[in-house]
């Protein structure tokens, strides 16, 4: 067990920061979610991110192979609240939010891609090049994008569709682009 120096403790107390061990809380929440996601009702769910804020607010972002519903978020939240309250990890007053990441957040895991087949992605590669196109295929190793490429042929501008295969290890960031 580590102890805080009186100065650090005072700073945290004055700033309203908790003295809890955030890493342990995160690990415990991740473990609880891992166990819950092994049950048949939640087997298609997976954890994307846990954010602990200084004001006793916990944000949990989950995703699902079949889509995240309000009901799933509610049930997951209730499950976590029960354990957090029983164990006293966050004290008596805290805010817990369980939600899907939303379309503006980057895709983090290969298993997020298949449900976006047919949608337009903007993919930033590790070397900085940006590609945008329709997602045609996604598996555990790579994605296939259909891009519109422009080239000149004499005085004419020619547009053609080209399929580009991109391995996941070359993707720095990928975001679903919503067209209106």
């Amino acid at each position: 067990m580590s102890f805080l120096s009186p100065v650090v403790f005072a700073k945290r107390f004055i700033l309203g920061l908790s003295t809890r061990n955030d890493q342990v809380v995160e690990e415990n929440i991740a473990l609880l979610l891992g166990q819950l996601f092994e049950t048949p009702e939640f087997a298609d769910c997976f954890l994307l991110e846990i954010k602990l804020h200084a004001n006793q607010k916990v944000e949990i972002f989950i995703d699902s192979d079949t889509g995240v519903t309000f009901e799933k978020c509610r049930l997951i939240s209730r499950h976590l609240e029960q354990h957090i309250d029983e164990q006293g990890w966050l004290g008596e007053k805290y805010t817990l939010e369980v939600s899907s990441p939303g379309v503006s957040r980057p895709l983090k895991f290969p298993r997020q891609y298949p449900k976006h087949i047919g949608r337009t992605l903007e993919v930033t590669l590790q070397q900085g090049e940006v590609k945008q196109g329709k997602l045609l295929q996604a598996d555990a190793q790579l994605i296939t994008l259909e891009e519109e490429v422009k080239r000149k042929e004499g005085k004419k501008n020619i547009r053609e569709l080209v399929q580009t295969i991109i391995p996941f290890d070359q993707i720095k960031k990928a975001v679903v682009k919503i067209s209106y």
Side-chain angles (χ1 to χ4, degrees), residues 4-178:
L4 299 174
S5 74
V7 173
V8 172
F9 182 82
K11 282 182 182 176
R12 286 185 171 208
F13 183 77
I14 290 167
L15 295 173
L17 300 175
S18 171
T19 56
R20 73 180 184 277
N21 185 336
D22 288 353
Q23 187 175 1
V24 171
V25 172
E26 273 189 47
E27 289 171 0
N28 287 334
I29 289 173
L31 182 64
L32 280 173
L33 289 172
Q35 293 168 348
L36 182 65
F37 295 163
E38 289 176 2
T39 64
E41 186 177 4
F42 297 99
D44 65 337
C45 295
F46 53 98
L47 176 63
L48 293 176
E49 187 175 8
I50 299 171
K51 286 186 176 182
L52 297 172
H53 301 279
N55 59 354
Q56 297 295 82
K57 179 179 177 181
V58 181
E59 290 180 294
I60 297 172
F61 295 99
I62 61 163
D63 208 345
S64 165
D65 300 325
T66 58
V68 178
T69 64
F70 174 78
E71 182 63 14
K72 271 188 185 174
C73 288
R74 188 183 70 76
L75 292 171
I76 291 167
S77 179
R78 296 294 177 259
H79 178 78
L80 289 174
E81 284 172 358
Q82 177 186 356
H83 289 280
I84 291 169
D85 289 346
E86 283 176 8
Q87 301 300 319
W89 294 333
L90 298 171
E92 295 211 6
K93 285 189 170 186
Y94 63 90
T95 303
L96 176 64
E97 294 179 4
V98 177
S99 68
S100 66
V103 292
S104 63
R105 294 179 67 94
L107 303 177
K108 291 179 85 170
F109 301 111
R111 101 182 251 193
Q112 290 180 275
Y113 287 77
K115 71 179 177 185
H116 295 292
I117 290 175
R119 293 185 175 158
T120 301
L121 294 186
E122 182 177 276
V123 179
T124 305
L125 302 178
Q126 293 293 349
Q127 64 270 27
E129 182 182 359
V130 177
K131 297 191 170 284
Q132 184 166 316
K134 182 178 178 180
L135 181 62
L136 297 179
Q137 178 186 348
D139 62 32
Q141 286 82 35
L142 53 86
I143 62 171
T144 304
L145 280 186
E146 182 179 69
E147 301 177 87
E148 185 177 287
V149 178
K150 299 174 190 173
R151 63 178 174 85
K152 264 196 177 256
E153 197 171 283
K155 293 184 179 183
K156 291 184 176 183
N157 287 327
I158 307 289
R159 295 176 187 214
E160 57 188 11
L161 296 177
V162 176
Q163 291 186 7
T164 305
I165 295 172
I166 307 170
F168 281 112
D169 64 355
Q170 290 182 15
I171 297 174
K172 182 176 184 178
K173 178 181 173 183
V175 179
V176 177
K177 302 303 281 182
I178 302 300

